[in-house]
Amino acid sequence: MPSVCRTLVESDMETAHRLAELDRAALETIRSISDGSDDLLRQVVCLFVDSTPALLEDIEAGLKNGEMDRLRMAAHTLKSSAANLGATVLGDMARQLETAARAGILGQGLPSFPSVKEEFEAACRALDALLGEAG
């Protein structure tokens, strides 16, 4: 099976192999919709992997340029997508960014863009490993 994360570029060798912790209950919910098959899960993971880079671009630009609406919308979408696949740390990071953007206050204590991007990559590696185990 080809890697679902084949398009990711690893830039930090120290964290390049870390896998995100996944909430298996969220993944089992998707599997249960398709009678235990991984076909739907693979489709959802592919959508996540394909669509998240654009969201990350919007998050980065929103943080850099103070574009609160752009940041809020991208973070909201990422929060939901990550939660659907059990990537709870990524979802929580996105929730924090969404809340801050909604309040119009960016500053200390928020996840940095590099940490959000690294957590996305770790989630992709974990999902890829999970689907690889499933065959």
Side-chain angles (χ1 to χ4, degrees):
M1 178 199 80
S3 170
V4 295
C5 299
R6 65 189 171 281
T7 60
L8 293 178
V9 175
E10 305 296 350
S11 58
D12 183 349
M13 292 310 292
E14 186 173 311
T15 59
H17 300 291
R18 184 180 70 80
L19 302 181
E21 293 289 325
L22 299 175
D23 176 1
R24 299 279 179 136
L27 300 168
E28 290 307 318
T29 298
I30 296 171
R31 281 186 172 128
S32 71
I33 293 170
S34 60
D35 297 323
S37 165
D38 282 332
D39 293 342
L40 179 61
L41 181 58
R42 286 181 196 285
Q43 290 175 10
V44 173
V45 168
C46 286
L47 286 171
F48 175 72
V49 170
D50 290 346
S51 64
T52 300
L55 296 174
L56 292 174
E57 288 177 14
D58 285 344
I59 288 170
E60 183 178 34
L63 286 168
K64 183 184 278 187
N65 302 323
E67 297 176 57
M68 299 299 172
D69 284 340
R70 185 177 187 180
L71 174 59
R72 180 186 52 76
M73 290 188 299
H76 175 79
T77 303
L78 179 58
K79 173 188 73 176
S80 299
S81 297
N84 286 338
L85 287 170
T88 54
V89 172
L90 181 60
D92 188 55
M93 294 170 109
R95 180 193 53 75
Q96 291 175 52
L97 291 171
E98 177 190 14
T99 300
R102 181 168 282 125
I105 302 170
L106 301 179
Q108 298 289 9
L110 289 176
S112 68
F113 176 74
S115 66
V116 173
K117 183 177 180 212
E118 199 282 319
E119 189 61 29
F120 165 66
E121 292 170 352
C124 285
R125 287 189 295 273
L127 290 164
D128 189 49
L130 179 95
L131 289 174
E133 290 171 7

